[in-house]
Amino acid sequence: MSFTIVEFLDFFGIAIFAVSGALTASYKKLDIFGVLVVALITCLGGGTVRDLLLNAHPIIWIENTYYLWVGCSAALFTFVVVKYCRLPMRILEICDAIGLAFFTIAGIQKAQLLGFSPEISLIMGVFTGVVGGILRDVLCNDIPLIFHKEIYASAAITGGILFLILQLASVPDGLSVTLSMAAILALRIAAIFMGLSLPRFLFSNNKP
């Protein structure tokens, strides 16, 4: 069975984000059903929202159930590993960063294949990359990473813009995909280990 580059990115991203969701659920000490639910929402949530907004029917995982099987398999594998080996929190953050890189570019390409403009394709790429993580964190009663942690959505936006620029420059697809994903991953990993972040809004109620 052959896969397009968009499908490959989707499958790989789904596996990584499913691991991310399963790790989060395991840290919250959920049972295996909870782990599966959180993992599937994490890995399929962004693509589902993207397809609904783009009116792309049937939704990707309904049309192709391989996406469900990949997500479930990755979640169950993670559940078994974590049962016998406590993984550090950094693993979750790195998995999330990899998923963000793959899903952002896959989301852009999906929108482009449907004929949408570069601006809309970029927005859909960012949605694909971040929405699953937002749903995961909300379900697990955490403040989503995108709202309070280091550089996150801005990494996806930067990599997405780079991808569109490389396309305009007629850079081969494989190279433009690789460079753009590497840029997202590098920014996110640097933010994780160096604490890079955007300026925060600090409200002061002190009267002059």
Side-chain angles (χ1 to χ4, degrees):
M1 182 177 181
S2 60
F3 297 107
T4 66
I5 187 168
V6 175
E7 288 174 325
F8 173 77
L9 292 177
D10 270 343
F11 283 130
F12 192 88
I14 279 171
I16 293 296
F17 260 152
V19 170
S20 168
L23 284 173
T24 302
S26 72
Y27 294 146
K28 295 294 182 177
K29 302 189 185 312
L30 302 186
D31 61 20
I32 189 169
F33 179 74
V35 169
L36 282 172
V37 169
V38 173
L40 288 177
I41 287 176
T42 304
C43 68
L44 299 176
T48 299
V49 170
R50 175 200 65 208
D51 288 352
L52 289 173
L53 289 173
L54 296 179
N55 197 29
H57 296 290
I59 292 171
I60 189 165
W61 54 269
I62 294 177
E63 180 181 26
N64 187 347
T65 56
Y66 278 107
Y67 290 94
L68 283 173
W69 286 111
V70 169
C72 288
S73 299
L76 291 173
F77 174 79
T78 306
F79 180 82
V80 172
V81 170
V82 171
K83 197 172 182 63
Y84 297 100
C85 178
R86 183 69 176 177
L87 299 177
M89 192 68 179
R90 284 286 189 228
I91 298 295
L92 166 60
E93 294 177 319
I94 292 171
C95 286
D96 192 85
I98 296 171
L100 178 68
F102 273 80
F103 266 23
T104 298
I105 303 305
I108 291 174
Q109 291 186 310
K110 175 67 177 285
Q112 288 179 325
L113 287 174
L114 294 172
F116 287 90
S117 67
E119 298 87 350
I120 298 301
S121 297
L122 176 62
I123 292 171
M124 291 302 105
V126 175
F127 275 23
T128 307
V130 306
V131 167
I134 292 174
L135 295 174
R136 173 199 65 208
D137 293 340
V138 169
L139 276 176
C140 292
N141 199 31
D142 291 327
I143 299 175
L145 287 171
I146 187 175
F147 297 138
H148 76 109
K149 284 288 187 179
E150 308 90 352
I151 291 173
Y152 193 88
S154 50
I157 293 170
T158 302
I161 291 173
L162 175 61
F163 178 68
L164 295 173
I165 291 173
L166 291 173
Q167 283 188 323
L168 286 175
S170 299
V171 175
D173 283 346
L175 181 59
S176 60
V177 166
T178 301
L179 291 175
S180 303
M181 289 193 302
I184 296 171
L185 187 58
L187 282 172
R188 184 68 192 115
I189 293 297
I192 291 170
F193 288 97
M194 299 173 63
L196 303 178
S197 63
L198 297 176
R200 298 185 180 186
F201 176 73
L202 300 176
F203 176 77
S204 174
N205 59 1
N206 295 330
K207 295 182 180 181

